[in-house]
Amino acid sequence: MIFKLVGDGRPYPEHGLSNREWAQIPPRQVRLDSLVTTKAMLDLHSLLAADSTFYGDLFPHVVQWRGELYLEDGLHRALRAALHQRSILHARVLELPS
């Protein structure tokens, strides 16, 4: 199993962080098997594109809420890590109060 759970949607409250605010959160290691996805589908063009990690933040965005880690942005990066047989991903983790 790659992820803890494949979800579809964001169960946590809206946080309203901008890309600039996300960039100020230092990345940390996160195990892939501890993540709950917020997207159930991914376009293979996004996953396999040579420049899929070129645009946007280099690190996936994870929201920690009520003891769970939700992969909000960066599913293609997480899947690429799994395809390279890595079990850990560096991500920015926002901790929301319960």
Side-chain angles (χ1 to χ4, degrees), residues 70-84:
Y70 295 96
L71 181 61
E72 178 176 284
D73 184 45
L75 180 57
H76 61 291
R77 288 180 172 88
L79 285 174
R80 278 188 161 199
L83 289 172
H84 285 94

Side-chain angles (χ1 to χ4, degrees), residues 1-7 30-42 47 60-62 68-83 86-89 91:
M1 177 180 288
I2 297 173
F3 301 111
K4 181 176 182 177
L5 182 69
V6 175
V30 177
R31 291 187 52 85
L32 290 176
D33 62 4
S34 69
L35 294 172
V36 177
T37 69
T38 59
K39 296 178 186 173
M41 305 274 287
L42 176 69
L47 175 63
H61 297 170
V62 173
E68 296 289 348
L69 295 172
Y70 295 96
L71 181 61
E72 178 176 284
D73 184 45
L75 180 57
H76 61 291
R77 288 180 172 88
L79 285 174
R80 278 188 161 199
L83 289 172
R86 294 191 302 258
S87 61
I88 293 177
L89 180 71

Side-chain angles (χ1 to χ4, degrees), residues 12-47:
Y12 49 87
E14 181 61 41
H15 52 72
L17 255 62
S18 68
N19 286 337
R20 181 176 295 252
E21 291 167 318
W22 272 107
Q24 294 180 14
I25 299 172
R28 70 179 208 206
Q29 291 184 347
V30 177
R31 291 187 52 85
L32 290 176
D33 62 4
S34 69
L35 294 172
V36 177
T37 69
T38 59
K39 296 178 186 173
M41 305 274 287
L42 176 69
D43 179 16
L44 279 178
H45 291 291
S46 297
L47 175 63

Side-chain angles (χ1 to χ4, degrees), residues 15 17 22 25 61-65 92-96:
H15 52 72
L17 255 62
W22 272 107
I25 299 172
H61 297 170
V62 173
V63 175
Q64 184 174 357
W65 185 63
R92 300 183 194 280
V93 180
L94 171 66
E95 296 178 21
L96 289 181

